[in-house]
Amino acid sequence: MLTLQEFFHKHPRTALGFSGGTDSAYLLYAGLHYGAEIRPYFIRTPFQPQFELDDALRLTDQLGAPLTILEYNILKAPNVAANPADRCYHCKKALFEHLKKQAASDHYPVLLDGTNASDEADDRPGMRALDELNILSPLRLCGLTKPEIRRLSQEAGLFTWDKPAYACLATRVATDTPLDAEILRRVEEAEGCLNAIGFTDFRIRIFHGAARIQVTDAQFAHAAASREQIRSRLKPYFDTILLDTEVRP
């Protein structure tokens, strides 16, 4: 199987769709480690919380690879804002079409993303968009799974090695419920409040206008014991706050 060193020897000048997460962080590190000219791009949309950009800036600063930030209002795409079942496909295609044009304008002939070998195409409709646009996923091509990437990232000294997987803010809203910037802002700020009081791997999902909180089994007891504090912190954003007994895996 192809190695990352062989991949970057074959593709020495690339652009990278960079999220600041574990996978794209390690891919950027590996490209630089193997001598490639790799330029990270972060597409800022209403779907990304501020901490993702903060992490992306911190990591690129650590690696000495300046980050290019592109502003893009994905909610202007009707087939994304309507939030259909295949929203992720339309979103990924719109974002990477935009990024591909910018990368080509900057004279980067190859565009990469951080999809890894643990990601199943059947569960990731956005991967179809990547295939259609000929976006390369070196981690997947080289057979690197999420646990391997975390191990290699820790060995490389990347702070992202144990960063929890993060799904974009649009996933907090039920399919076929239209998306707007205001509800995404409220979710982001409410999740920031939960993070500030000690919760880590969790989600706030919108349920008939209420905030439905999902936490891991390890933090469920803490959430139940902290219900008054949670209610107080989240009241500015949601009138009704629910704790889901179906915990996150």
Side-chain angles (χ1 to χ4, degrees):
M1 181 173 285
L2 188 71
T3 67
L4 283 179
Q5 184 173 9
E6 291 168 339
F7 176 88
F8 283 112
H9 179 74
K10 184 178 180 181
H11 303 287
R13 182 178 170 85
T14 63
L16 169 63
F18 189 72
S19 69
T22 302
D23 298 328
S24 61
Y26 181 71
L27 185 56
L28 176 60
Y29 163 82
L32 295 170
H33 178 73
Y34 292 123
E37 183 181 344
I38 179 170
R39 180 171 178 176
Y41 292 81
F42 184 99
I43 305 181
R44 189 174 190 178
T45 79
F47 291 174
Q48 278 74 46
Q50 181 62 39
F51 81 82
E52 288 282 71
L53 177 55
D54 292 343
D55 283 354
L57 288 166
R58 179 183 168 192
L59 194 283
T60 51
D61 183 64
Q62 177 184 342
L63 297 179
L67 181 65
T68 300
I69 301 170
L70 304 178
E71 300 285 346
Y72 190 86
N73 188 358
I74 191 63
L75 292 175
K76 288 187 175 180
N79 50 10
V80 175
N83 199 20
D86 61 349
R87 180 205 70 247
C88 187
Y89 164 77
H90 296 292
C91 179
K92 186 78 76 173
K93 189 163 187 179
L95 293 179
F96 272 85
E97 281 179 340
H98 180 67
L99 179 49
K100 193 172 185 178
K101 289 177 183 177
Q102 183 61 54
S105 177
D106 293 335
H107 308 292
Y108 287 89
V110 177
L111 179 56
L112 313 179
D113 98 302
T115 301
N116 67 60
S118 298
D119 296 327
E120 296 292 338
D122 291 343
D123 299 330
R124 304 251 179 172
M127 289 171 65
R128 178 162 58 97
L130 297 176
D131 289 340
E132 290 175 2
L133 294 171
N134 296 313
I135 310 300
L136 300 183
S137 303
L139 299 175
R140 193 161 190 250
L141 291 171
C142 296
L144 289 170
T145 62
K146 193 74 166 191
E148 291 174 293
I149 294 165
R150 291 195 184 280
R151 176 181 60 80
L152 292 168
S153 296
Q154 185 177 24
E155 292 174 0
L158 305 180
F159 74 86
T160 51
W161 77 270
D162 63 345
K163 185 176 178 178
Y166 186 83
C168 82
L169 292 170
T171 63
R172 312 304 197 268
V173 181
T175 298
D176 294 324
T177 301
L179 299 168
D180 63 71
E182 174 61 18
I183 191 61
L184 297 174
R185 180 195 65 80
R186 286 163 56 202
V187 169
E188 177 183 356
E189 293 186 13
E191 289 192 344
C193 290
L194 290 186
N195 183 257
I197 59 176
F199 292 94
T200 51
D201 193 2
F202 65 90
R203 299 285 185 270
I204 291 178
R205 301 195 188 278
I206 305 304
F207 181 73
H208 296 290
R212 189 180 73 187
I213 302 171
Q214 295 177 321
V215 297
T216 60
D217 186 57
Q219 292 199 313
F220 187 81
H222 175 44
S226 305
R227 59 187 181 277
E228 291 303 326
Q229 186 180 18
I230 291 172
R231 183 181 295 115
S232 173
R233 296 296 293 269
L234 267 57
K235 267 299 182 182
Y237 309 104
F238 296 98
D239 292 331
T240 304
I241 300 149
L242 310 171
L243 179 59
D244 198 336
T245 57
E246 293 293 326
V247 298
R248 284 180 52 74

